[in-house]
Amino acid sequence: MIELKRIEKIYRRGAEDVHALRGVDLSIGKGELLAITGPSGAGKTTLLHILGCLDQPTAGEVLIDGVDAARLPEAQLVGLRRVKIGFVFQQFYLIPGLSVFDNIALPLLFSRKPASREKIAALAEMVGLSHRLDHVPAQLSGGEMQRTAIARGLVNDPEILLADEPTGNLDSENSDRIFEILRSLSSSGLTTVMITHNPDLAARAGRTVHIRDGAVHP
Amino acid sequence: MSGYLKLAVKNLLRHRTRSALTMLGIAASVGVLFSVLSFNRGFNEGLAQELERTGLHFMVVPSGCAHEVAALVLHGAVIPKFLDTGVMQHLQAADGIALATPILVAQLPNVQKGRIDLVYGVDMQALAAIKPGWRITGRIPSQPDEILLGHEVAGHEKLKPGDVFTVTADGRRLVVAGIVGLTGSQDDAFVYLPIATAQQLLNRPHAATAIGVKVADPERMGEITDALTAAVPGIQIVTMGQVMNSIANLAAAARAMSLAIVLIAVLISAVGVMNSILMAVFERSQEIGMMRAVGASRRDVFRIILEETAILSLGGGIVGIVVAILGSTLIETFVRSVMPYVPSGNLISFDPLLALGSVAFITAIGLGAGLYPAWKASKINPVEAIKG
């Protein structure tokens, strides 16, 4: 369902051109749980952003359900992000003033859908936060914050969930819990791509791709 | 509350002090704006009312400067030119005149006290028509040696009705018949006496500074003044409308200046808004990157930032108006103490339309100031922002 073909990405950083991705070919099937590993600066995050229609490659094709996202204008990329993609970040990026409920509901604001209480409650229950809906992020533990972020990533019913080091700021117990949530999501049909530095978690994923110097090393 | 509005409010509440200070800047500028506009309006209305209250339609004066006449009508300036009361014959003979009364304003040496008094000679019978707003303690003088004191003069000398005000050079005792209640205007500083007495004391038996005229039918005023000017040499006719224009012209310069200062204050507060919102945008660039990743378009980001600006401006505007209304008495007291001429009555009164207009104006300015930060926020590259 997702196919990357000969992806090249070059961007400017100060005076130099950074060749972040060099001819990446990758196909990801529906419901797969894919772990991306590799050293810092290898191009993992750039790859994830291209998968998430947040960034576009310098060359190559990004086929999502047969549509080449690499050639779409920004307005249509926004549409794709709203409908098909959920993002989870290492730093959670919750909005401090908003409750857990409102943080989870935030993407609905942008996709112009009503925030139904049942739906948010169901998502919160799925990530184990039913008792925290009225709390603000400052009152949560790191694991709870990331579970809030996962629920937020799921609220638009995406087909793909992209997580950039979702356990990078968590202890092993919370990391396990997050990983289990991602695994159960993928087994229920959600395509899940996760960047991780944790070799244990990578080993437990359905498939692992290793990226070094902008290229895939199986 | 709509989702966007809630988000904007919560964002502003994250930096309460900063938001409050920015709002304070807006409140201060809109408060001053509203006060100045209200004052200008109140000034013009008060002036019109005051002129209407004199009960006179025009003044006959010796040919000269209209501003001098304006000053005479409103606070009794001393003009070193006199009319001969012989002019009264023409006026009494003229058609359509309801009342014509001579007024003599002069400075009179007070031998006993070694100072100069401001005297206002007037036909006491016509006083009610000229100064209908006065509240008098005691009574209006009926004898040639009786006088009426302005509130300030009476207070300064600690005089009450029945007391002797002064003994003149030729031995006449001027007795206080009544005291005028506080008017808040220059009227408080005068000594009022029958015009004949004033003429005798000044040794100018037929002199008058002006003749106040009331016509029977105000619609025929143009016709009457034209006829008089043609028939009587050496006079000038100044209508109350002209007096008002003279004063309004004098006040206009001051108002333009005050308005310019207010606009600068508004501009400064707008820069404050821009600065505050721009700072918030930079601080939140990662969060904005996240919002873009979870489906916000550039336009959505633009809207969030602009709504924050709108809330700041609108909130500040409303606070400013409320404070200006609550503090209007204070402002008015201050203005009265520094302005040379201020009509009596309430200068700063609450006009809902003006308040609404002021708030709308500051909100529009605030939104204008928010455009750049909002545009800047919408241009944040989510990929770079998320990388940090």
Side-chain angles (χ1 to χ4, degrees):
Chain A
M1 69 163 291
I2 305 177
E3 235 186 318
L4 301 184
K5 292 183 178 169
R6 298 175 305 284
I7 296 293
E8 301 280 335
K9 180 66 183 180
I10 300 167
Y11 62 86
R12 275 196 89 74
R13 184 170 56 201
E16 57 169 347
D17 280 336
V18 179
H19 208 148
L21 296 174
R22 302 163 187 265
V24 172
D25 288 301
L26 184 65
S27 75
I28 306 166
K30 183 170 164 56
E32 199 173 345
L33 175 56
L34 177 72
I36 300 176
T37 62
S40 296
K44 304 184 298 294
T45 298
T46 303
L47 183 65
L48 198 76
H49 288 164
I50 288 173
L51 279 171
C53 299
L54 200 55
D55 204 354
Q56 288 182 304
T58 313
E61 292 173 28
V62 181
L63 299 172
I64 296 174
D65 293 335
V67 178
D68 186 4
R71 302 286 160 265
L72 291 179
E74 169 62 23
Q76 290 185 37
L77 289 179
V78 170
L80 271 182
R81 291 202 296 271
R82 283 176 189 161
V83 175
K84 300 209 170 190
I85 296 173
F87 263 106
V88 176
F89 309 94
Q90 183 180 358
Q91 283 97 349
F92 326 134
Y93 293 137
L94 301 179
I95 295 186
L98 297 183
S99 66
V100 167
F101 181 96
D102 288 328
N103 265 293
I104 294 174
L106 184 71
L108 296 174
L109 185 63
F110 306 129
S111 54
R112 278 92 181 146
K113 289 182 199 155
S116 104
R117 191 147 260 287
E118 295 78 41
K119 173 159 199 175
I120 310 288
L123 282 170
E125 194 185 343
M126 200 267 289
V127 297
L129 284 173
S130 296
H131 58 301
R132 293 291 207 190
L133 278 176
D134 296 326
H135 290 63
V136 291
Q139 298 168 312
L140 303 180
S141 71
E144 287 172 327
M145 287 194 213
Q146 193 59 298
R147 283 184 272 141
T148 305
I150 291 175
R152 179 182 66 194
L154 297 173
V155 76
N156 266 327
D157 301 316
E159 294 170 20
I160 311 155
L161 185 67
L162 303 170
D164 192 350
E165 294 192 48
T167 62
N169 282 350
L170 303 177
D171 60 26
S172 60
E173 191 189 330
N174 276 304
S175 296
D176 272 355
R177 188 156 182 191
I178 297 292
F179 183 78
E180 284 313 316
I181 291 171
L182 295 182
R183 189 154 72 177
S184 79
L185 285 169
S186 87
S187 59
S188 63
L190 180 69
T191 308
T192 308
V193 180
M194 164 178 97
I195 293 175
T196 183
H197 277 129
N198 185 329
D200 293 342
L201 295 185
R204 286 155 65 189
R207 177 158 69 113
T208 301
V209 292
H210 190 73
I211 298 207
R212 203 171 59 223
D213 298 329
V216 173
H217 294 262
Chain B
M1 199 171 1
S2 100
Y4 282 94
L5 203 60
K6 186 170 181 177
L7 192 60
V9 169
K10 296 285 184 183
N11 282 336
L12 289 172
L13 288 177
R14 273 153 76 176
H15 296 283
R16 280 159 217 260
T17 315
R18 186 163 73 198
S19 300
L21 287 176
T22 311
M23 229 183 224
L24 195 70
I26 297 170
S29 67
V30 79
V32 174
L33 174 73
F34 176 70
S35 298
V36 165
L37 292 178
S38 297
F39 178 79
N40 286 348
R41 226 179 65 109
F43 189 94
N44 285 345
E45 276 178 4
L47 188 60
Q49 270 173 17
E50 190 140 301
L51 286 170
E52 207 167 284
R53 270 210 300 269
T54 63
L56 298 174
H57 290 116
F58 61 85
M59 289 280 195
V60 179
V61 293
S63 320
C65 170
H67 288 324
E68 277 182 342
V69 179
L72 164 78
V73 172
L74 290 159
H75 48 89
V78 178
I79 303 175
K81 264 186 179 174
F82 297 98
L83 268 181
D84 191 293
T85 40
V87 174
M88 286 290 288
Q89 289 171 358
H90 293 280
L91 286 167
Q92 276 148 1
D95 194 24
I97 287 175
L99 171 80
T101 181
I103 295 164
L104 177 59
V105 179
Q107 294 168 327
L108 192 68
N110 185 326
V111 183
Q112 210 179 19
K113 303 257 165 58
R115 55 147 209 261
I116 291 173
D117 290 322
L118 290 170
V119 299
Y120 194 109
V122 64
D123 178 0
M124 288 296 166
Q125 250 107 66
L127 199 64
I130 303 174
K131 302 283 187 187
W134 280 6
R135 285 167 289 110
I136 293 169
T137 313
R139 54 183 176 75
I140 291 178
S142 54
Q143 305 298 316
D145 289 349
E146 285 181 338
I147 60 169
L148 202 57
L149 291 184
H151 191 267
E152 219 171 85
V153 185
H156 191 254
E157 302 281 322
K158 296 190 179 57
L159 293 173
K160 53 187 189 305
D163 290 350
V164 174
F165 174 68
T166 187
V167 180
T168 60
D170 59 357
R172 292 176 68 166
R173 294 154 57 89
L174 298 178
V175 179
V176 180
I179 291 165
V180 183
L182 186 69
T183 62
S185 71
Q186 308 285 329
D187 286 356
D188 294 342
F190 279 86
V191 176
Y192 301 88
L193 56 167
I195 187 159
T197 313
Q199 285 166 340
Q200 281 165 26
L201 291 173
L202 281 168
N203 212 8
R204 285 180 177 275
H206 303 291
T209 313
I211 296 168
V213 179
K214 191 175 177 179
V215 296
D217 177 9
E219 284 184 14
R220 286 188 56 215
M221 199 154 75
E223 193 183 312
I224 295 168
T225 55
D226 285 350
L228 278 175
T229 317
V232 189
I235 64 158
Q236 187 183 354
I237 290 179
V238 182
T239 64
M240 288 307 160
Q242 287 167 330
V243 169
M244 184 160 161
N245 278 343
S246 296
I247 302 235
N249 285 343
L250 287 174
R255 278 165 30 190
M257 186 72 187
S258 61
L259 225 54
I261 292 170
V262 170
L263 289 180
I264 289 170
V266 168
L267 201 70
I268 291 173
S269 72
V271 172
V273 170
M274 193 187 283
N275 179 43
S276 166
I277 297 287
L278 208 52
M279 213 147 62
V281 165
F282 287 141
E283 283 169 3
R284 296 209 311 258
S285 65
Q286 291 192 330
E287 196 178 295
I288 290 168
M290 173 278 288
M291 292 199 283
R292 293 290 306 281
V294 304
S297 63
R298 289 208 174 103
R299 191 192 293 216
D300 291 332
V301 172
F302 188 89
R303 180 174 164 190
I304 290 168
I305 303 300
L306 212 59
E307 284 196 17
E308 285 178 35
T309 320
I311 293 166
L312 270 186
S313 312
L314 197 65
I318 292 168
V319 169
I321 298 288
V322 170
V323 170
I325 292 165
L326 294 180
S328 63
T329 328
L330 221 70
I331 297 171
E332 193 162 333
T333 313
F334 171 73
V335 168
R336 279 191 187 282
S337 71
V338 295
M339 291 270 286
Y341 166 75
V342 179
S344 45
N346 255 352
L347 284 182
I348 303 177
S349 56
F350 177 67
D351 174 13
L353 217 62
L354 195 59
L356 216 65
S358 300
V359 173
F361 176 69
I362 202 76
T363 306
I365 295 279
L367 282 177
L371 285 178
Y372 176 68
W375 175 79
K376 202 84 181 154
S378 76
K379 287 289 170 197
I380 284 176
N381 180 339
V383 171
E384 282 169 22
I386 292 168
K387 274 181 190 160

